[in-house]
Amino acid sequence: MAEILYGKPVAQFIKQQVISDIDKLGHCPVIATVGFANNLEWQQYAGSIARNAQQYNCIVNNIELNSTCSEQQLSDVIDNLNNDTNTDALLLQQPLPESLMSCANKILWYKDCDSLSQSNFFATFVGREHITSATPTAVVRMLEFYNIPLKGKNVVIIGRGLAVGKPLSLMLTNRNATVTLCHTSTVDLPNIARKADIIVTACGRGAMVDKQYVSSNSIVIDVGLSFTNGKMQGDVNIESIGSVCKAYSPVPGGIGPVTQACLFANAVKCAQLRGKYDNKR
């Protein structure tokens, strides 16, 4: 049977690091979450961050915007938070309406808690990785925690989105993996995936990845999230692959708690950088 890669012990490990770093920092990092009041998924996510912040010694201020918010109004909110000396990190709702997407680039790079700005994405592109997106970072941290090497390994990523697939492909390449970035329109996808050492799926297609996609050497990290009849599920059909592959992360219980831990770790990094760069603006 395959090894199950649970997220909770990874998140606990990161949490201890976060608490230790905050002790050295000398103050509790303050995260401003900015999203729309009519977006239930975002409100649930922001609420979860706020509920868990105390155990990480962080503070969350949730800013709810009206659904009719204009680009200028959102830009003004971001500018105010950029200039607010009591705010260390800024988390902006994703995905944004297309008319507001450019606003992500207005976040100061060292307050950009989830690496949404082009400046942070470019830093990852050239291998500097100032602040990296929480979910791709969670994938890397999970692989590290379970002592799964990346150097020289063949990795297939299913999903080319800006939130996971594209930044993760860069991060894994930076760690000397050989990466194939696929998507749901890739021809002969099961055959391509089956040849990989590590498969990361983030396409949001419930239970799409079955035993056709894996071999006995496959390590599968499920980042997908979708709902069927109100039930949460990942991209992986665990009943199908569980007796075939080497290891897999479940949904729920896998990458989710690690992502949130990485978000708080990013908030600490933002607070550290703010102390260095605020006076240079």
Side-chain angles (χ1 to χ4, degrees), residues 35-68:
F36 299 100
N38 67 330
N39 188 307
L40 181 59
E41 185 175 336
W42 165 256
Q43 292 305 320
Q44 289 175 338
Y45 181 56
S48 176
I49 293 169
R51 287 192 300 274
N52 291 320
Q54 187 174 2
Q55 62 180 292
Y56 283 87
N57 291 346
C58 293
I59 299 169
V60 172
N61 294 326
N62 186 28
I63 298 172
E64 293 187 356
L65 303 177
N66 192 286
S67 59
T68 59

PDB file of all heavy atoms in Angstrom, residues 35-68:
ATOM      1  N   GLY A  35     -10.691  41.376   0.387  1.00  0.00           N
ATOM      2  CA  GLY A  35     -11.525  40.629  -0.549  1.00  0.00           C
ATOM      3  C   GLY A  35     -12.933  41.181  -0.583  1.00  0.00           C
ATOM      4  O   GLY A  35     -13.224  42.222   0.032  1.00  0.00           O
ATOM      5  N   PHE A  36     -13.807  40.485  -1.274  1.00  0.00           N
ATOM      6  CA  PHE A  36     -15.156  40.984  -1.519  1.00  0.00           C
ATOM      7  C   PHE A  36     -16.179  40.267  -0.645  1.00  0.00           C
ATOM      8  O   PHE A  36     -16.146  39.043  -0.489  1.00  0.00           O
ATOM      9  CB  PHE A  36     -15.507  40.838  -2.998  1.00  0.00           C
ATOM     10  CG  PHE A  36     -14.589  41.627  -3.880  1.00  0.00           C
ATOM     11  CD1 PHE A  36     -13.536  41.008  -4.538  1.00  0.00           C
ATOM     12  CD2 PHE A  36     -14.749  42.994  -4.019  1.00  0.00           C
ATOM     13  CE1 PHE A  36     -12.671  41.743  -5.327  1.00  0.00           C
ATOM     14  CE2 PHE A  36     -13.896  43.737  -4.798  1.00  0.00           C
ATOM     15  CZ  PHE A  36     -12.845  43.107  -5.462  1.00  0.00           C
ATOM     16  N   ALA A  37     -17.077  41.051  -0.098  1.00  0.00           N
ATOM     17  CA  ALA A  37     -18.052  40.545   0.868  1.00  0.00           C
ATOM     18  C   ALA A  37     -18.993  39.516   0.245  1.00  0.00           C
ATOM     19  O   ALA A  37     -19.531  38.666   0.946  1.00  0.00           O
ATOM     20  CB  ALA A  37     -18.855  41.711   1.453  1.00  0.00           C
ATOM     21  N   ASN A  38     -19.191  39.569  -1.073  1.00  0.00           N
ATOM     22  CA  ASN A  38     -20.142  38.655  -1.718  1.00  0.00           C
ATOM     23  C   ASN A  38     -19.491  37.362  -2.193  1.00  0.00           C
ATOM     24  O   ASN A  38     -20.147  36.511  -2.787  1.00  0.00           O
ATOM     25  CB  ASN A  38     -20.815  39.350  -2.900  1.00  0.00           C
ATOM     26  CG  ASN A  38     -19.841  39.636  -4.030  1.00  0.00           C
ATOM     27  OD1 ASN A  38     -18.651  39.845  -3.795  1.00  0.00           O
ATOM     28  ND2 ASN A  38     -20.340  39.657  -5.254  1.00  0.00           N
ATOM     29  N   ASN A  39     -18.184  37.187  -1.940  1.00  0.00           N
ATOM     30  CA  ASN A  39     -17.475  35.978  -2.376  1.00  0.00           C
ATOM     31  C   ASN A  39     -17.369  35.012  -1.195  1.00  0.00           C
ATOM     32  O   ASN A  39     -16.505  35.154  -0.331  1.00  0.00           O
ATOM     33  CB  ASN A  39     -16.093  36.351  -2.921  1.00  0.00           C
ATOM     34  CG  ASN A  39     -15.394  35.163  -3.572  1.00  0.00           C
ATOM     35  OD1 ASN A  39     -15.251  34.102  -2.967  1.00  0.00           O
ATOM     36  ND2 ASN A  39     -14.945  35.347  -4.799  1.00  0.00           N
ATOM     37  N   LEU A  40     -18.260  34.040  -1.165  1.00  0.00           N
ATOM     38  CA  LEU A  40     -18.340  33.132  -0.023  1.00  0.00           C
ATOM     39  C   LEU A  40     -17.059  32.322   0.156  1.00  0.00           C
ATOM     40  O   LEU A  40     -16.579  32.140   1.284  1.00  0.00           O
ATOM     41  CB  LEU A  40     -19.532  32.182  -0.191  1.00  0.00           C
ATOM     42  CG  LEU A  40     -19.760  31.175   0.946  1.00  0.00           C
ATOM     43  CD1 LEU A  40     -19.984  31.899   2.273  1.00  0.00           C
ATOM     44  CD2 LEU A  40     -20.947  30.277   0.621  1.00  0.00           C
ATOM     45  N   GLU A  41     -16.490  31.855  -0.937  1.00  0.00           N
ATOM     46  CA  GLU A  41     -15.267  31.044  -0.846  1.00  0.00           C
ATOM     47  C   GLU A  41     -14.135  31.845  -0.215  1.00  0.00           C
ATOM     48  O   GLU A  41     -13.394  31.352   0.635  1.00  0.00           O
ATOM     49  CB  GLU A  41     -14.862  30.554  -2.235  1.00  0.00           C
ATOM     50  CG  GLU A  41     -13.681  29.601  -2.230  1.00  0.00           C
ATOM     51  CD  GLU A  41     -13.388  29.045  -3.610  1.00  0.00           C
ATOM     52  OE1 GLU A  41     -14.301  29.008  -4.451  1.00  0.00           O
ATOM     53  OE2 GLU A  41     -12.235  28.635  -3.844  1.00  0.00           O
ATOM     54  N   TRP A  42     -14.005  33.117  -0.656  1.00  0.00           N
ATOM     55  CA  TRP A  42     -12.967  33.965  -0.081  1.00  0.00           C
ATOM     56  C   TRP A  42     -13.238  34.228   1.394  1.00  0.00           C
ATOM     57  O   TRP A  42     -12.328  34.188   2.221  1.00  0.00           O
ATOM     58  CB  TRP A  42     -12.858  35.298  -0.821  1.00  0.00           C
ATOM     59  CG  TRP A  42     -12.059  36.310  -0.050  1.00  0.00           C
ATOM     60  CD1 TRP A  42     -12.526  37.376   0.652  1.00  0.00           C
ATOM     61  CD2 TRP A  42     -10.643  36.297   0.140  1.00  0.00           C
ATOM     62  NE1 TRP A  42     -11.498  38.050   1.263  1.00  0.00           N
ATOM     63  CE2 TRP A  42     -10.323  37.405   0.965  1.00  0.00           C
ATOM     64  CE3 TRP A  42      -9.613  35.479  -0.306  1.00  0.00           C
ATOM     65  CZ2 TRP A  42      -9.020  37.708   1.345  1.00  0.00           C
ATOM     66  CZ3 TRP A  42      -8.309  35.779   0.077  1.00  0.00           C
ATOM     67  CH2 TRP A  42      -8.024  36.877   0.888  1.00  0.00           C
ATOM     68  N   GLN A  43     -14.476  34.507   1.740  1.00  0.00           N
ATOM     69  CA  GLN A  43     -14.808  34.791   3.129  1.00  0.00           C
ATOM     70  C   GLN A  43     -14.503  33.590   4.031  1.00  0.00           C
ATOM     71  O   GLN A  43     -14.031  33.749   5.161  1.00  0.00           O
ATOM     72  CB  GLN A  43     -16.285  35.195   3.255  1.00  0.00           C
ATOM     73  CG  GLN A  43     -16.614  36.543   2.621  1.00  0.00           C
ATOM     74  CD  GLN A  43     -15.755  37.670   3.156  1.00  0.00           C
ATOM     75  OE1 GLN A  43     -15.478  37.743   4.337  1.00  0.00           O
ATOM     76  NE2 GLN A  43     -15.307  38.542   2.259  1.00  0.00           N
ATOM     77  N   GLN A  44     -14.749  32.393   3.525  1.00  0.00           N
ATOM     78  CA  GLN A  44     -14.426  31.191   4.294  1.00  0.00           C
ATOM     79  C   GLN A  44     -12.919  31.065   4.476  1.00  0.00           C
ATOM     80  O   GLN A  44     -12.435  30.722   5.568  1.00  0.00           O
ATOM     81  CB  GLN A  44     -14.982  29.953   3.583  1.00  0.00           C
ATOM     82  CG  GLN A  44     -16.508  29.858   3.635  1.00  0.00           C
ATOM     83  CD  GLN A  44     -17.036  28.705   2.825  1.00  0.00           C
ATOM     84  OE1 GLN A  44     -16.385  28.198   1.912  1.00  0.00           O
ATOM     85  NE2 GLN A  44     -18.249  28.262   3.141  1.00  0.00           N
ATOM     86  N   TYR A  45     -12.180  31.356   3.412  1.00  0.00           N
ATOM     87  CA  TYR A  45     -10.715  31.254   3.476  1.00  0.00           C
ATOM     88  C   TYR A  45     -10.143  32.309   4.422  1.00  0.00           C
ATOM     89  O   TYR A  45      -9.317  32.001   5.292  1.00  0.00           O
ATOM     90  CB  TYR A  45     -10.133  31.423   2.074  1.00  0.00           C
ATOM     91  CG  TYR A  45      -8.625  31.303   2.004  1.00  0.00           C
ATOM     92  CD1 TYR A  45      -7.978  30.172   2.485  1.00  0.00           C
ATOM     93  CD2 TYR A  45      -7.851  32.317   1.439  1.00  0.00           C
ATOM     94  CE1 TYR A  45      -6.598  30.053   2.410  1.00  0.00           C
ATOM     95  CE2 TYR A  45      -6.482  32.204   1.353  1.00  0.00           C
ATOM     96  CZ  TYR A  45      -5.864  31.072   1.843  1.00  0.00           C
ATOM     97  OH  TYR A  45      -4.494  30.959   1.772  1.00  0.00           O
ATOM     98  N   ALA A  46     -10.584  33.559   4.265  1.00  0.00           N
ATOM     99  CA  ALA A  46     -10.102  34.633   5.132  1.00  0.00           C
ATOM    100  C   ALA A  46     -10.487  34.366   6.582  1.00  0.00           C
ATOM    101  O   ALA A  46      -9.703  34.634   7.510  1.00  0.00           O
ATOM    102  CB  ALA A  46     -10.667  35.978   4.658  1.00  0.00           C
ATOM    103  N   GLY A  47     -11.701  33.830   6.785  1.00  0.00           N
ATOM    104  CA  GLY A  47     -12.135  33.496   8.141  1.00  0.00           C
ATOM    105  C   GLY A  47     -11.273  32.412   8.759  1.00  0.00           C
ATOM    106  O   GLY A  47     -10.940  32.466   9.953  1.00  0.00           O
ATOM    107  N   SER A  48     -10.879  31.425   7.964  1.00  0.00           N
ATOM    108  CA  SER A  48     -10.011  30.360   8.448  1.00  0.00           C
ATOM    109  C   SER A  48      -8.646  30.904   8.854  1.00  0.00           C
ATOM    110  O   SER A  48      -8.086  30.516   9.890  1.00  0.00           O
ATOM    111  CB  SER A  48      -9.853  29.289   7.366  1.00  0.00           C
ATOM    112  OG  SER A  48      -8.935  28.295   7.768  1.00  0.00           O
ATOM    113  N   ILE A  49      -8.119  31.810   8.052  1.00  0.00           N
ATOM    114  CA  ILE A  49      -6.832  32.438   8.386  1.00  0.00           C
ATOM    115  C   ILE A  49      -6.944  33.202   9.702  1.00  0.00           C
ATOM    116  O   ILE A  49      -6.077  33.103  10.572  1.00  0.00           O
ATOM    117  CB  ILE A  49      -6.383  33.373   7.246  1.00  0.00           C
ATOM    118  CG1 ILE A  49      -6.066  32.555   5.993  1.00  0.00           C
ATOM    119  CG2 ILE A  49      -5.163  34.190   7.653  1.00  0.00           C
ATOM    120  CD1 ILE A  49      -5.886  33.400   4.760  1.00  0.00           C
ATOM    121  N   ALA A  50      -8.023  33.964   9.847  1.00  0.00           N
ATOM    122  CA  ALA A  50      -8.215  34.743  11.069  1.00  0.00           C
ATOM    123  C   ALA A  50      -8.346  33.840  12.292  1.00  0.00           C
ATOM    124  O   ALA A  50      -7.797  34.136  13.363  1.00  0.00           O
ATOM    125  CB  ALA A  50      -9.443  35.635  10.923  1.00  0.00           C
ATOM    126  N   ARG A  51      -9.074  32.730  12.160  1.00  0.00           N
ATOM    127  CA  ARG A  51      -9.262  31.818  13.296  1.00  0.00           C
ATOM    128  C   ARG A  51      -7.954  31.154  13.722  1.00  0.00           C
ATOM    129  O   ARG A  51      -7.743  30.895  14.910  1.00  0.00           O
ATOM    130  CB  ARG A  51     -10.292  30.739  12.927  1.00  0.00           C
ATOM    131  CG  ARG A  51     -11.727  31.228  12.876  1.00  0.00           C
ATOM    132  CD  ARG A  51     -12.700  30.068  12.798  1.00  0.00           C
ATOM    133  NE  ARG A  51     -12.493  29.245  11.606  1.00  0.00           N
ATOM    134  CZ  ARG A  51     -13.037  29.500  10.422  1.00  0.00           C
ATOM    135  NH1 ARG A  51     -13.823  30.563  10.263  1.00  0.00           N
ATOM    136  NH2 ARG A  51     -12.817  28.705   9.389  1.00  0.00           N
ATOM    137  N   ASN A  52      -7.091  30.884  12.764  1.00  0.00           N
ATOM    138  CA  ASN A  52      -5.852  30.172  13.065  1.00  0.00           C
ATOM    139  C   ASN A  52      -4.677  31.093  13.384  1.00  0.00           C
ATOM    140  O   ASN A  52      -3.613  30.616  13.803  1.00  0.00           O
ATOM    141  CB  ASN A  52      -5.468  29.258  11.898  1.00  0.00           C
ATOM    142  CG  ASN A  52      -6.420  28.094  11.757  1.00  0.00           C
ATOM    143  OD1 ASN A  52      -6.848  27.507  12.742  1.00  0.00           O
ATOM    144  ND2 ASN A  52      -6.782  27.766  10.521  1.00  0.00           N
ATOM    145  N   ALA A  53      -4.866  32.394  13.181  1.00  0.00           N
ATOM    146  CA  ALA A  53      -3.756  33.331  13.336  1.00  0.00           C
ATOM    147  C   ALA A  53      -3.178  33.320  14.749  1.00  0.00           C
ATOM    148  O   ALA A  53      -1.955  33.406  14.937  1.00  0.00           O
ATOM    149  CB  ALA A  53      -4.209  34.739  12.959  1.00  0.00           C
ATOM    150  N   GLN A  54      -4.047  33.219  15.747  1.00  0.00           N
ATOM    151  CA  GLN A  54      -3.578  33.319  17.136  1.00  0.00           C
ATOM    152  C   GLN A  54      -2.567  32.232  17.472  1.00  0.00           C
ATOM    153  O   GLN A  54      -1.574  32.494  18.153  1.00  0.00           O
ATOM    154  CB  GLN A  54      -4.761  33.261  18.099  1.00  0.00           C
ATOM    155  CG  GLN A  54      -4.369  33.526  19.543  1.00  0.00           C
ATOM    156  CD  GLN A  54      -5.574  33.617  20.466  1.00  0.00           C
ATOM    157  OE1 GLN A  54      -6.708  33.445  20.049  1.00  0.00           O
ATOM    158  NE2 GLN A  54      -5.334  33.899  21.738  1.00  0.00           N
ATOM    159  N   GLN A  55      -2.788  31.015  16.984  1.00  0.00           N
ATOM    160  CA  GLN A  55      -1.868  29.931  17.312  1.00  0.00           C
ATOM    161  C   GLN A  55      -0.511  30.113  16.637  1.00  0.00           C
ATOM    162  O   GLN A  55       0.466  29.482  17.030  1.00  0.00           O
ATOM    163  CB  GLN A  55      -2.476  28.577  16.949  1.00  0.00           C
ATOM    164  CG  GLN A  55      -2.768  28.368  15.491  1.00  0.00           C
ATOM    165  CD  GLN A  55      -3.362  27.006  15.208  1.00  0.00           C
ATOM    166  OE1 GLN A  55      -2.676  26.001  15.355  1.00  0.00           O
ATOM    167  NE2 GLN A  55      -4.635  26.963  14.824  1.00  0.00           N
ATOM    168  N   TYR A  56      -0.448  30.976  15.627  1.00  0.00           N
ATOM    169  CA  TYR A  56       0.826  31.305  14.975  1.00  0.00           C
ATOM    170  C   TYR A  56       1.410  32.622  15.501  1.00  0.00           C
ATOM    171  O   TYR A  56       2.419  33.093  14.996  1.00  0.00           O
ATOM    172  CB  TYR A  56       0.633  31.422  13.463  1.00  0.00           C
ATOM    173  CG  TYR A  56       0.520  30.096  12.754  1.00  0.00           C
ATOM    174  CD1 TYR A  56      -0.712  29.452  12.630  1.00  0.00           C
ATOM    175  CD2 TYR A  56       1.634  29.468  12.197  1.00  0.00           C
ATOM    176  CE1 TYR A  56      -0.821  28.229  11.975  1.00  0.00           C
ATOM    177  CE2 TYR A  56       1.533  28.254  11.542  1.00  0.00           C
ATOM    178  CZ  TYR A  56       0.307  27.642  11.435  1.00  0.00           C
ATOM    179  OH  TYR A  56       0.202  26.438  10.786  1.00  0.00           O
ATOM    180  N   ASN A  57       0.739  33.221  16.500  1.00  0.00           N
ATOM    181  CA  ASN A  57       1.149  34.523  17.045  1.00  0.00           C
ATOM    182  C   ASN A  57       1.108  35.627  15.987  1.00  0.00           C
ATOM    183  O   ASN A  57       1.972  36.519  15.969  1.00  0.00           O
ATOM    184  CB  ASN A  57       2.546  34.440  17.672  1.00  0.00           C
ATOM    185  CG  ASN A  57       2.558  33.599  18.936  1.00  0.00           C
ATOM    186  OD1 ASN A  57       1.509  33.286  19.499  1.00  0.00           O
ATOM    187  ND2 ASN A  57       3.742  33.216  19.387  1.00  0.00           N
ATOM    188  N   CYS A  58       0.113  35.544  15.109  1.00  0.00           N
ATOM    189  CA  CYS A  58      -0.093  36.570  14.097  1.00  0.00           C
ATOM    190  C   CYS A  58      -1.447  37.244  14.317  1.00  0.00           C
ATOM    191  O   CYS A  58      -2.315  36.721  15.023  1.00  0.00           O
ATOM    192  CB  CYS A  58      -0.043  35.966  12.692  1.00  0.00           C
ATOM    193  SG  CYS A  58       1.573  35.347  12.190  1.00  0.00           S
ATOM    194  N   ILE A  59      -1.611  38.408  13.720  1.00  0.00           N
ATOM    195  CA  ILE A  59      -2.854  39.169  13.801  1.00  0.00           C
ATOM    196  C   ILE A  59      -3.393  39.369  12.385  1.00  0.00           C
ATOM    197  O   ILE A  59      -2.633  39.690  11.464  1.00  0.00           O
ATOM    198  CB  ILE A  59      -2.614  40.539  14.471  1.00  0.00           C
ATOM    199  CG1 ILE A  59      -2.102  40.360  15.901  1.00  0.00           C
ATOM    200  CG2 ILE A  59      -3.887  41.390  14.454  1.00  0.00           C
ATOM    201  CD1 ILE A  59      -1.593  41.638  16.534  1.00  0.00           C
ATOM    202  N   VAL A  60      -4.697  39.175  12.211  1.00  0.00           N
ATOM    203  CA  VAL A  60      -5.322  39.331  10.896  1.00  0.00           C
ATOM    204  C   VAL A  60      -6.390  40.411  10.950  1.00  0.00           C
ATOM    205  O   VAL A  60      -7.260  40.395  11.824  1.00  0.00           O
ATOM    206  CB  VAL A  60      -5.945  38.008  10.419  1.00  0.00           C
ATOM    207  CG1 VAL A  60      -6.755  38.223   9.142  1.00  0.00           C
ATOM    208  CG2 VAL A  60      -4.862  36.963  10.166  1.00  0.00           C
ATOM    209  N   ASN A  61      -6.321  41.364  10.036  1.00  0.00           N
ATOM    210  CA  ASN A  61      -7.366  42.368   9.849  1.00  0.00           C
ATOM    211  C   ASN A  61      -8.032  42.116   8.499  1.00  0.00           C
ATOM    212  O   ASN A  61      -7.380  42.198   7.452  1.00  0.00           O
ATOM    213  CB  ASN A  61      -6.769  43.781   9.871  1.00  0.00           C
ATOM    214  CG  ASN A  61      -6.211  44.147  11.230  1.00  0.00           C
ATOM    215  OD1 ASN A  61      -6.734  43.727  12.260  1.00  0.00           O
ATOM    216  ND2 ASN A  61      -5.132  44.913  11.254  1.00  0.00           N
ATOM    217  N   ASN A  62      -9.312  41.776   8.527  1.00  0.00           N
ATOM    218  CA  ASN A  62     -10.032  41.454   7.300  1.00  0.00           C
ATOM    219  C   ASN A  62     -10.747  42.694   6.768  1.00  0.00           C
ATOM    220  O   ASN A  62     -11.546  43.315   7.476  1.00  0.00           O
ATOM    221  CB  ASN A  62     -11.042  40.332   7.550  1.00  0.00           C
ATOM    222  CG  ASN A  62     -11.698  39.865   6.269  1.00  0.00           C
ATOM    223  OD1 ASN A  62     -11.112  39.959   5.198  1.00  0.00           O
ATOM    224  ND2 ASN A  62     -12.925  39.378   6.364  1.00  0.00           N
ATOM    225  N   ILE A  63     -10.450  43.049   5.533  1.00  0.00           N
ATOM    226  CA  ILE A  63     -11.074  44.209   4.890  1.00  0.00           C
ATOM    227  C   ILE A  63     -12.007  43.703   3.799  1.00  0.00           C
ATOM    228  O   ILE A  63     -11.567  43.058   2.840  1.00  0.00           O
ATOM    229  CB  ILE A  63     -10.006  45.145   4.292  1.00  0.00           C
ATOM    230  CG1 ILE A  63      -9.094  45.679   5.401  1.00  0.00           C
ATOM    231  CG2 ILE A  63     -10.655  46.290   3.523  1.00  0.00           C
ATOM    232  CD1 ILE A  63      -7.901  46.453   4.901  1.00  0.00           C
ATOM    233  N   GLU A  64     -13.293  43.978   3.966  1.00  0.00           N
ATOM    234  CA  GLU A  64     -14.290  43.527   2.998  1.00  0.00           C
ATOM    235  C   GLU A  64     -14.680  44.680   2.086  1.00  0.00           C
ATOM    236  O   GLU A  64     -15.044  45.764   2.552  1.00  0.00           O
ATOM    237  CB  GLU A  64     -15.525  42.992   3.717  1.00  0.00           C
ATOM    238  CG  GLU A  64     -15.278  41.714   4.502  1.00  0.00           C
ATOM    239  CD  GLU A  64     -16.563  41.139   5.065  1.00  0.00           C
ATOM    240  OE1 GLU A  64     -17.622  41.781   4.899  1.00  0.00           O
ATOM    241  OE2 GLU A  64     -16.513  40.057   5.669  1.00  0.00           O
ATOM    242  N   LEU A  65     -14.632  44.432   0.786  1.00  0.00           N
ATOM    243  CA  LEU A  65     -14.981  45.439  -0.199  1.00  0.00           C
ATOM    244  C   LEU A  65     -16.316  45.101  -0.852  1.00  0.00           C
ATOM    245  O   LEU A  65     -16.703  43.934  -0.939  1.00  0.00           O
ATOM    246  CB  LEU A  65     -13.896  45.523  -1.271  1.00  0.00           C
ATOM    247  CG  LEU A  65     -12.478  45.824  -0.769  1.00  0.00           C
ATOM    248  CD1 LEU A  65     -11.500  45.792  -1.933  1.00  0.00           C
ATOM    249  CD2 LEU A  65     -12.426  47.174  -0.068  1.00  0.00           C
ATOM    250  N   ASN A  66     -16.984  46.131  -1.329  1.00  0.00           N
ATOM    251  CA  ASN A  66     -18.237  45.938  -2.046  1.00  0.00           C
ATOM    252  C   ASN A  66     -17.968  45.327  -3.417  1.00  0.00           C
ATOM    253  O   ASN A  66     -16.930  45.601  -4.028  1.00  0.00           O
ATOM    254  CB  ASN A  66     -18.955  47.284  -2.198  1.00  0.00           C
ATOM    255  CG  ASN A  66     -20.369  47.131  -2.673  1.00  0.00           C
ATOM    256  OD1 ASN A  66     -20.620  46.837  -3.836  1.00  0.00           O
ATOM    257  ND2 ASN A  66     -21.319  47.337  -1.770  1.00  0.00           N
ATOM    258  N   SER A  67     -18.873  44.518  -3.908  1.00  0.00           N
ATOM    259  CA  SER A  67     -18.689  43.854  -5.201  1.00  0.00           C
ATOM    260  C   SER A  67     -18.589  44.843  -6.361  1.00  0.00           C
ATOM    261  O   SER A  67     -18.095  44.495  -7.437  1.00  0.00           O
ATOM    262  CB  SER A  67     -19.835  42.879  -5.466  1.00  0.00           C
ATOM    263  OG  SER A  67     -21.078  43.555  -5.470  1.00  0.00           O
ATOM    264  N   THR A  68     -19.049  46.081  -6.148  1.00  0.00           N
ATOM    265  CA  THR A  68     -18.979  47.100  -7.206  1.00  0.00           C
ATOM    266  C   THR A  68     -17.696  47.920  -7.124  1.00  0.00           C
ATOM    267  O   THR A  68     -17.553  48.919  -7.826  1.00  0.00           O
ATOM    268  CB  THR A  68     -20.186  48.045  -7.103  1.00  0.00           C
ATOM    269  OG1 THR A  68     -20.189  48.676  -5.803  1.00  0.00           O
ATOM    270  CG2 THR A  68     -21.491  47.288  -7.284  1.00  0.00           C
TER     271      THR A  68
END
